[in-house]
Amino acid sequence: MPETITIGKSELRKDAWKKVTGAARYVADIPLRDVYYGAIVRSSVHYGHLKSIDTQTAEQVAGVHKVVTAADVPGLPVFGALVHDQPVLAVDTIHHWGQPVAIVIADTKEIAAQAAQLVLVTVEPILPILDPVEAVELNASKLHADGNLLAQFEIKDGDVELGFAEADVILEETFSLPLVSPAYLETETSVAQWNSDGSLTVWVSSQHPFVDQAEIAAALDIPAEKVRVKSGVIGGAFGGKEDSSISIMASLAAWVVQGTVKLVNSRQESFWAHPKRHPAKIYLKLGAKNDGTFIALKAKAFVDTGAFASYGPAVGIILTETLAGSYHVPNIELDTLVVYTNGPLAGAMRGFGSPQSHFAIESMVDMVAHQLGLSAIEVRKKNILREGDQLFTGVIVNQSANSLPLALSHAENILREFEMIEAAPGKVAGSGMALVMQSMGLGAKVPDDSTHQMIWMPDGKVDLYLGAPDMGQGLIMTAEQIAAEALELPFESVSTVDLDTWNSPNGNVTCASRMTYMVGNALVDAAEQLKSQMLVQASRMMNRPLDTLSYKSGNVITSDGGKIPVSEIISRAADDGIEIQSKATFSFPYPDETTPQNLPIGMPHVLFCFGAQIARVEVDPELGKVDITHLTAIHDVGRVISRKGVEGQIEGGMAMGLGYALFENMNLKANGQWVDSFTEYLIPTFNDMPLNFRNIILEIPEESGPYGAKGIGEVTVPPTAPAIANAVYNAIGVRATALPLSPEDLAKL
Amino acid sequence: MKTLQVTFLLNGFEKTIVSAPNRTLLDVLRDDLNLTGAKDSCGGEGECGACTVIVDDKAINACMILIGQVQGCAVETIEGLAENGQLHPLQRAFVEAGAVQCGYCTPGAILAAKALLLENPHPSDVEIRDGLSGNLCRCTGYVKIVEAVRLAAAEMRHA
Ligand code: FES
Ligand code: FES
């Protein structure tokens, strides 16, 4: 690969300096004067008719300014990313436990919390529907006006019955996936400030500040220009912060009291009322020939979106598109139902449907291999997608599929290595693997433009105005590296201005494993524009024809070998009142010629990330306790932009996958309430991570990506749990079909 | 309302504050003293370690102790760690190792590591993991945090 300035290196994240000194301002940390505190009154039933809200007693408490209810919403009372079904504050019906009903606004958080207890909410409870299969039964009560089936995706390719008729072996199984929480450490927070000119300034911890802006404006019935949304430092998001609930509530409260209101969800509220990963039941039937070739796949998936749609339909799409994993199966019939229940709302979360589908298909692939007496590697080698293969959606897979055979040959060696290691006394060891295919982008026919801006400053440094927030994953560093490379400047010369919807272009939502790709492509384009604008100025000032000037590493080079620092040109231009700035938009490409047009909106996805993970476990056969001793991740990133950044994404993603495999489960407790604290909802700690952890990063350039790069954010999560489940099977011969793999179940099975 | 006067050493300087007695050290640091480096993540249940500060050389969850309990103690927060604008070796190592992503867990993890290294200047990876096991991180998978503590420990031993 050619020598680079910064691409592929491990730069030091500039935001890290503030984060290690405590100076970074997350929304709850922003110092503001005269702040009121809000406390949200929430429902304590799963389902019911909201009869009345009595705010009188609470409003008489000294220090309480107002109790806001749905009646105070001047504009649109509902919001939602894909369907407007989520009330800002409950109206008539309670749809889930913990749904916001009212907001108490008081001088201190203590007073607000006390007064919230005094708001009298009368609800006539109704028997809730908490099972997605039950929810679509004919006689189930309708949770929303259009019924309980939110979306359905049926896809057929080939003739599945004919395929099964030709199969030598057919296996069927139903897999169950739990409700899990993104569990970012910073809970949802927003501060809204009413300004005397009738505008609002709203600080958010959000993946989609421009959506917040639009949804706040709609709820308050004011023009979007009156709402200025600023991004605080974000304490993790993983998809869960694509929901405007808290920012709309803070804005409403600020609007009503004409002041500044701070809303911070407690951990419990975060569990109750913010989007999580969809629980699902996935039935799979896979037919194969004796040599391991897959011949038919049938699937039916029930995906529980909970009380409101959020991103449910889009999650259903990716779940469906990844049900066959990284394999070519000629005959396919898939049916995915996305269903409303009275559960907590599920929406976007890292993997977006693909962790669910991969647990099913990657377990099934091992089951078939076992049945046929083939190795996990052999059966996968037979069936992996190859460059030029047509997916069941009609999409042709590009060169990215070349990473699959590569990943498999690494995996083969690693499995062999793992199998040589002896188990600790009293334990049984086993190794297992899984492949992964994760889509990038929002899907065809979904508008997906991302705009970003750069300004060349008179000192020769460059300011980036990114239109989409960094949720902690390192988008800013990646963007700065790409901009620096494109402008032939050192990494240190590029910095990023805080996102503010009044100053920043709209970069769209930070999501879908496509930020490096979208932002990078836009910045490469913007950098070219910036350079040519600067050269035009240079030509004017130096009175030399444009084609005699060129740009090299921060200098203008003249045809006779002269060299003038760019800072001179820019500062002289500034004196003349000319700003050297450029803005570029990148639109996710769905070329008409190659994108099948006969599918629902959001389908198909056309670019993919592939990878493999291998786990070695030691199981205590008596207690069913699983220790993960080794994990190896093999992921193709197209091209590494930031080495440590990529490694960090993989390590963090695997930890999340490990939690999904072993502990995480936001289930109903015996008392009828959801698990809602870190005491009961366990996320991996230091000690849960394997001591032996390895990253193998593949670089098969994505031709449409900036410097060949593509996404890594989500692809790291889906293979971990099935790799672990397959390893457990290979250790103790027990096939778990539900996550998390609880010791009780493994010992009992 | 009943109040309490509490005097303690805060990042090396004597501090006297007046507070309602039922407030935690975390409340006082964040709401009264504008020291927002210590975070609340689990809602004061002692489960996450995001609020970790050092009290008399021990890592403590600031959400779990009432303000009255630090009377006469030496309290150290992340804001006091750098000296004369020079980052502490742990802070530098966290940046250099890539151990910081969203950063919400970072102040707590650094202080927990500092307390660990006070007690055990030469920890093994297993000891680092044990020492920091009360500090949750959802972003990094912990790999680079262990690396950062290992790097800083080596540097501090040689200093
Ligand atoms: S806030 Fe979680 S332990 Fe203190
Ligand atoms: S870096 Fe985000 S929680 Fe640790």
Side-chain angles (χ1 to χ4, degrees):
Chain A
M1 258 174 219
E3 195 48 37
T4 60
I5 299 167
T6 171
I7 298 289
K9 312 215 163 133
S10 287
E11 300 290 2
L12 305 183
R13 281 176 69 147
K14 290 167 192 149
D15 60 342
W17 304 100
K18 280 191 173 167
K19 288 173 175 175
V20 296
T21 53
R25 296 290 188 189
Y26 301 80
V27 174
D29 305 337
I30 294 167
L32 290 165
R33 260 172 304 161
D34 303 325
V35 180
Y36 299 135
Y37 293 81
I40 301 167
V41 180
R42 295 176 181 276
S43 65
S44 45
V45 299
H46 295 292
Y47 188 29
H49 297 300
L50 176 55
K51 289 294 178 196
S52 64
I53 309 170
D54 182 351
T55 61
Q56 234 181 359
T57 324
E59 275 179 318
Q60 276 158 10
V61 174
V64 170
H65 295 274
K66 171 86 185 156
V67 179
V68 176
T69 67
D72 297 298
V73 180
L76 204 60
V78 286
F79 68 98
L82 304 177
V83 183
H84 279 171
D85 63 355
Q86 191 172 341
V88 174
L89 292 166
V91 191
D92 301 335
T93 307
I94 298 294
H95 281 98
H96 70 95
W97 188 289
Q99 185 176 343
V101 175
I103 312 163
V104 177
I105 305 159
D107 285 336
T108 68
K109 60 183 180 192
E110 290 80 11
I111 298 174
Q114 277 159 18
Q117 308 275 332
L118 302 175
V119 175
L120 217 71
V121 181
T122 313
V123 180
E124 193 182 287
I126 313 172
L127 196 66
I129 304 178
L130 297 167
D131 181 280
V133 181
E134 248 170 62
V136 282
E137 279 166 7
L138 274 179
N139 53 357
S141 75
K142 272 191 181 184
L143 303 176
H144 289 268
D146 293 334
N148 301 342
L149 181 60
L150 170 61
Q152 184 166 14
F153 305 100
E154 293 177 87
I155 290 206
K156 279 187 193 159
D157 190 32
D159 185 331
V160 83
E161 292 314 325
L162 225 67
F164 284 123
E166 284 175 33
D168 296 318
V169 51
I170 298 173
L171 291 183
E172 297 176 79
E173 190 55 80
T174 300
F175 300 90
S176 304
L177 288 310
L179 176 68
V180 301
S181 167
Y184 27 72
L185 287 201
E186 181 208 24
T187 57
E188 307 77 26
T189 304
S190 182
V191 177
Q193 173 184 289
W194 178 86
N195 306 313
S196 52
D197 63 358
S199 69
L200 277 177
T201 308
V202 189
W203 287 265
V204 298
S205 172
S206 162
Q207 291 168 249
H208 64 195
F210 287 92
V211 177
D212 287 291
Q213 182 188 34
E215 292 192 317
I216 292 165
L220 298 181
D221 196 20
I222 57 176
E225 308 84 76
K226 292 249 173 213
V227 182
R228 176 178 198 171
V229 174
K230 293 181 168 200
S231 182
V233 177
I234 302 178
F238 314 115
K241 290 179 182 171
E242 291 173 46
D243 176 293
S244 311
S245 175
I246 193 109
S247 62
I248 301 175
M249 285 194 283
S251 301
L252 170 67
W255 189 255
V256 170
V257 297
Q258 302 199 339
T260 303
V261 178
K262 179 170 182 172
L263 278 185
V264 182
N265 268 350
S266 68
R267 180 56 56 186
Q268 184 181 53
E269 293 176 288
S270 177
F271 273 109
W272 286 347
H274 243 67
K276 275 156 279 289
R277 181 178 296 146
H278 288 72
K281 284 194 173 62
I282 302 177
Y283 160 82
L284 279 192
K285 178 174 172 186
L286 181 60
K289 303 291 280 180
N290 274 330
D291 69 352
T293 309
F294 300 157
I295 187 149
L297 174 71
K298 190 171 174 160
K300 183 156 186 150
F302 290 90
V303 181
D304 176 2
T305 206
F308 306 115
S310 187
Y311 282 90
V315 168
I317 286 177
I318 291 191
L319 187 144
T320 309
E321 285 187 52
T322 53
L323 271 171
S326 312
Y327 308 102
H328 177 74
V329 190
N331 302 293
I332 274 189
E333 195 176 306
L334 311 174
D335 184 9
T336 299
L337 294 87
V338 184
V339 176
Y340 284 120
T341 64
N342 294 113
L345 75 152
M349 182 175 157
R350 204 174 193 176
F352 212 81
S354 147
Q356 294 93 319
S357 57
H358 277 86
F359 179 66
I361 186 68
E362 286 296 323
S363 299
M364 192 55 139
V365 166
D366 260 37
M367 288 161 71
V368 167
H370 184 77
Q371 181 84 9
L372 292 171
L374 296 170
S375 76
I377 299 285
E378 282 168 327
V379 76
R380 287 180 171 83
K381 264 193 192 149
K382 272 255 173 303
N383 296 290
I384 42 172
L385 292 165
R386 306 275 172 175
E387 178 174 4
D389 274 357
Q390 189 174 44
L391 298 172
F392 55 84
T393 53
V395 171
I396 308 289
V397 190
N398 74 5
Q399 77 291 327
S400 60
N402 295 330
S403 58
L404 283 169
L406 221 66
L408 272 181
S409 75
H410 280 292
E412 190 166 13
N413 293 334
I414 289 154
L415 278 171
R416 205 173 299 134
E417 237 174 74
F418 284 0
E419 278 152 15
M420 310 267 283
I421 308 168
E422 246 176 80
K427 301 273 178 72
V428 193
S431 304
M433 70 162 302
L435 289 178
V436 57
M437 172 175 103
Q438 182 79 43
S439 57
M440 280 168 67
L442 307 182
K445 296 181 285 242
V446 180
D448 191 7
D449 298 339
S450 191
T451 307
H452 308 276
Q453 185 181 18
M454 45 175 75
I455 304 181
W456 220 329
M457 307 303 285
D459 61 1
K461 300 209 163 132
V462 172
D463 280 353
L464 300 185
Y465 287 76
L466 300 182
D470 185 334
M471 49 185 167
Q473 84 276 37
L475 170 62
I476 289 176
M477 171 175 57
T478 304
E480 289 172 351
Q481 283 185 264
I482 291 173
E485 190 75 36
L487 291 166
E488 302 171 38
L489 293 173
F491 175 67
E492 292 68 37
S493 297
V494 181
S495 40
T496 301
V497 176
D498 292 344
L499 198 158
D500 173 343
T501 58
W502 276 12
N503 300 329
S504 311
N506 187 343
N508 210 331
V509 185
T510 296
C511 68
S513 299
R514 76 201 200 302
M515 299 319 288
T516 298
Y517 182 77
M518 303 289 285
V519 176
N521 273 325
L523 292 179
V524 168
D525 183 359
E528 287 314 309
Q529 293 181 36
L530 200 68
K531 284 186 267 185
S532 32
Q533 276 186 41
M534 185 278 301
L535 285 174
V536 167
Q537 290 307 317
S539 142
R540 179 181 65 85
M541 288 167 194
M542 296 159 71
N543 219 350
R544 283 169 182 256
L546 188 56
D547 59 6
T548 65
L549 302 177
S550 60
Y551 172 78
K552 181 106 194 81
S553 307
N555 294 293
V556 174
I557 312 291
T558 61
S559 51
D560 50 8
K563 192 167 149 182
I564 302 103
V566 163
S567 53
E568 255 174 54
I569 312 287
I570 313 276
S571 45
R572 273 177 59 190
D575 293 342
D576 298 343
I578 298 167
E579 189 181 55
I580 308 291
Q581 65 88 22
S582 67
K583 215 185 259 183
T585 302
F586 183 76
S587 307
F588 200 101
Y590 296 98
D592 279 350
E593 321 77 67
T594 54
T595 309
Q597 301 294 326
N598 57 337
L599 296 162
I601 294 176
M603 220 185 225
H605 292 75
V606 295
L607 291 181
F608 306 96
C609 309
F610 294 100
Q613 292 183 7
I614 304 103
R616 179 184 177 276
V617 302
E618 293 191 353
V619 188
D620 180 327
E622 301 284 295
L623 302 174
K625 188 177 173 319
V626 178
D627 288 329
I628 295 162
T629 63
H630 294 66
L631 275 178
T632 296
I634 306 164
H635 287 287
D636 170 30
V637 300
R639 174 84 181 270
V640 173
I641 302 294
S642 165
R643 187 151 305 268
K644 285 216 161 81
V646 164
E647 290 169 1
Q649 282 302 296
I650 298 173
E651 290 154 6
M654 279 188 105
M656 214 174 248
L658 185 150
Y660 196 41
L662 295 188
F663 337 103
E664 297 186 32
N665 189 3
M666 196 182 146
N667 54 344
L668 267 184
K669 297 186 280 188
N671 66 1
Q673 294 182 27
W674 300 103
V675 157
D676 56 14
S677 73
F678 279 156
T679 320
E680 300 156 310
Y681 187 91
L682 304 180
I683 66 171
T685 68
F686 275 88
N687 282 324
D688 296 313
M689 291 301 285
L691 274 167
N692 299 283
F693 186 92
R694 204 168 140 208
N695 256 324
I696 299 174
I697 297 170
L698 308 178
E699 296 183 86
I700 295 178
E702 165 55 47
E703 48 202 33
S704 66
Y707 300 100
K710 56 184 186 182
I712 187 63
E714 297 174 284
V715 65
T716 56
V717 176
T720 320
I724 291 170
N726 289 339
V728 167
Y729 177 83
N730 291 332
I732 58 171
V734 174
R735 171 59 60 190
T737 56
L739 292 181
L741 309 172
S742 71
E744 299 81 42
D745 287 352
L746 293 181
K748 180 166 75 195
L749 274 167
Chain B
M1 214 198 328
K2 222 178 88 194
T3 57
L4 203 64
Q5 181 174 318
V6 187
T7 301
F8 57 104
L9 222 51
L10 178 60
N11 295 326
F13 295 97
E14 194 176 287
K15 189 100 210 166
T16 298
I17 57 113
V18 176
S19 164
N22 61 352
R23 294 172 71 229
T24 64
L25 173 59
L26 182 63
D27 286 334
V28 171
L29 289 174
R30 289 187 55 86
D31 298 344
D32 300 4
L33 302 172
N34 196 23
L35 294 175
T36 54
K39 310 290 182 207
D40 174 0
S41 176
C42 66
E45 295 202 322
E47 291 288 341
C48 72
C51 63
T52 304
V53 296
I54 296 181
V55 178
D56 290 345
D57 290 345
K58 295 257 178 288
I60 298 281
N61 288 330
C63 71
M64 298 295 283
I65 58 171
L66 293 175
I67 185 63
Q69 292 172 273
V70 300
Q71 170 65 38
C73 296
V75 175
E76 234 179 302
T77 72
I78 195 72
E79 291 86 352
L81 202 54
E83 270 176 56
N84 312 321
Q86 282 287 311
L87 292 189
H88 184 275
L90 271 164
Q91 291 173 308
R92 239 185 1 253
F94 267 65
V95 176
E96 283 166 7
V100 181
Q101 287 192 31
C102 85
Y104 205 77
C105 68
T106 305
I110 289 178
L111 291 172
K114 186 177 185 225
L116 168 73
L117 296 184
L118 273 176
E119 232 181 78
N120 177 1
H122 202 152
S124 65
D125 279 9
V126 171
E127 287 166 335
I128 295 173
R129 288 154 56 112
D130 279 344
L132 271 70
S133 61
N135 293 77
L136 296 178
C137 173
R138 189 58 155 171
C139 300
T140 63
Y142 305 106
V143 179
K144 292 190 170 10
I145 299 183
V146 173
E147 208 174 297
V149 178
R150 201 194 300 132
L151 280 174
E155 197 193 317
M156 287 162 71
R157 283 197 306 272
H158 294 137

